[in-house]
Amino acid sequence: MNGKETVLSGIRATGNLHLGNYFGALSKFVRMQRDYDCLYFVADLHALTTNPDPDQLHRNVRSIVAEYLAAGLDPEESTLFVQSDVPEISEMYLLLNMHVGIGELMRTASFKDKARKQLGIKVDETDEDNIERQIIGSASNKRVNAGLLTYPTLMAVDILIQKAHKVPVGKDQEQHLELTRRFARRFNSFYGVELFPEPANFDFGGKPVKVPGLDGSGKMGKSEGNCIYLIDDEKTLRKKVMRAVTDEGPKTPNQPVSPTVENLFTLLELTSTPEVVKHFRDAYADCSIRYGDLKKQLADDILAITLPIRERILDLQGDDATIGRVLRRGAEIARERASRTLAEVREVMGIRRFY
């Protein structure tokens, strides 16, 4: 569009954004804005796979847009839009599905995992060869919706319809991005065209950021219930941090740090100064550490980052005029680009008007 590589990313409209979203993606998106042609969207169509309450879905979309803006995404630098505001995506979703196999969709790890959860099947109750039969042949009233099965197709369309070159994805989405590349190659080969570039995972450089949860687990996530949200007020945030899982403390000097305490050090390294981190690591090493002091410092340093963002979020959530203006402009840009790609796809596939 402007000589810059196109970068695209979206977040499902399933709830508020948390510290993992901020350090893993949002803070980096802000830095990328001037160097790339960036499109960021709220994936409300993807959220429909869990059949959300309609009013809650609408509120979630507004919240995420407010959080995007509050975190520093600039609508003058980036294109911000809602997925469903670009109906060309839905049409191309149908067309691309004609070149996608049911088998390759059913074999994706995320589909099997989410299908098991929807049907209430425990991992130890079935094996990989049997899961497809259970999904298709379940005698219960539970069902796995087709949208969940074709989720990778919709994700591929989000990317391909904007002809994105790079897509920042986490490890759990790498298989979907590989499917997107496969679908692009298949379409190009089948019709003898070079319509779609094959998108690559965006490499931010350096070690990938993995923000741990407060429950001692390895990853912060909404479904795990172990999050610090950008919208959390001070009292709520402090209470969460003070309840974070630790251990009984080091017994001997320089003993290895336990995984639960290492999680807190990881959060400290993301939010605090090197001097603060060194102070507490040294205290752990000489067995003088007090976890209460560590948690109070961690809460202070997190709040220094999140409270200004929270204030902007609250202002924006009540400003439908600003949100509407941003999304209207973003939808116009995203639709203009998508409509050009869709017209090419229709022409290539032989869907041509007689008038």
Side-chain angles (χ1 to χ4, degrees), residues 7-11 26 29-30 33 37-43 61 64-83 85-86 162 316 322-335 337:
V7 175
L8 178 135
S9 184
I11 294 179
L26 271 178
F29 293 169
V30 172
Q33 292 181 111
D37 175 26
C38 295
L39 297 101
Y40 301 120
F41 67 97
V42 182
V61 172
I64 292 177
V65 174
E67 288 164 341
Y68 269 162
L69 295 169
L73 290 182
D74 183 350
E76 298 297 323
E77 298 279 357
S78 300
T79 299
L80 308 180
F81 66 98
V82 177
Q83 188 182 28
D85 283 345
V86 185
Q162 301 294 344
L316 286 161
T322 295
I323 289 178
R325 183 168 61 252
V326 168
L327 293 181
R328 188 178 303 108
R329 178 177 182 273
E332 289 172 357
I333 295 170
R335 284 202 69 181
R337 298 169 61 136

Side-chain angles (χ1 to χ4, degrees), residues 43-208:
D44 56 340
L45 298 180
H46 282 295
L48 294 175
T49 59
T50 57
N51 303 121
D53 173 79
D55 292 334
Q56 186 60 53
L57 175 64
H58 185 70
R59 287 193 293 271
N60 286 345
V61 172
R62 179 196 288 115
S63 293
I64 292 177
V65 174
E67 288 164 341
Y68 269 162
L69 295 169
L73 290 182
D74 183 350
E76 298 297 323
E77 298 279 357
S78 300
T79 299
L80 308 180
F81 66 98
V82 177
Q83 188 182 28
S84 61
D85 283 345
V86 185
E88 290 81 2
I89 291 172
S90 297
E91 182 175 346
M92 189 169 144
Y93 173 43
L94 182 151
L95 296 176
L96 188 61
N97 264 327
M98 305 308 168
H99 290 279
V100 175
I102 293 175
E104 61 190 340
L105 295 176
M106 291 194 70
R107 286 190 293 272
T108 59
S110 62
F111 171 69
K112 290 180 181 180
D113 181 56
K114 291 177 180 178
R116 283 191 184 103
K117 289 178 181 177
Q118 285 196 9
L119 295 174
I121 301 172
K122 295 181 180 179
V123 175
D124 58 0
E125 289 180 352
T126 187
D127 54 36
E128 292 301 317
D129 294 332
N130 193 35
I131 183 66
E132 289 92 346
R133 184 171 60 82
Q134 290 217 31
I135 291 170
I136 295 172
S138 175
S140 72
N141 289 326
K142 295 180 179 178
R143 69 186 188 281
V144 177
N145 64 60
L148 187 63
L149 178 65
T150 57
Y151 186 107
T153 310
L154 182 55
M155 177 174 164
V157 170
D158 291 328
I159 298 165
L160 299 178
I161 204 165
Q162 301 294 344
K163 296 188 177 180
H165 301 97
K166 294 182 178 179
V167 184
V169 296
K171 192 170 184 59
D172 57 338
Q173 293 288 320
E174 284 179 348
Q175 188 179 25
H176 287 172
L177 187 59
E178 179 53 43
L179 283 174
T180 299
R181 288 191 285 267
R182 183 192 302 175
F183 299 159
R185 286 194 299 271
R186 182 180 298 161
F187 188 95
N188 289 344
S189 175
F190 187 88
Y191 292 106
V193 295
E194 292 295 330
L195 182 58
F196 298 125
E198 292 185 30
N201 195 350
F202 190 93
D203 181 6
F204 289 109
K207 191 170 78 170

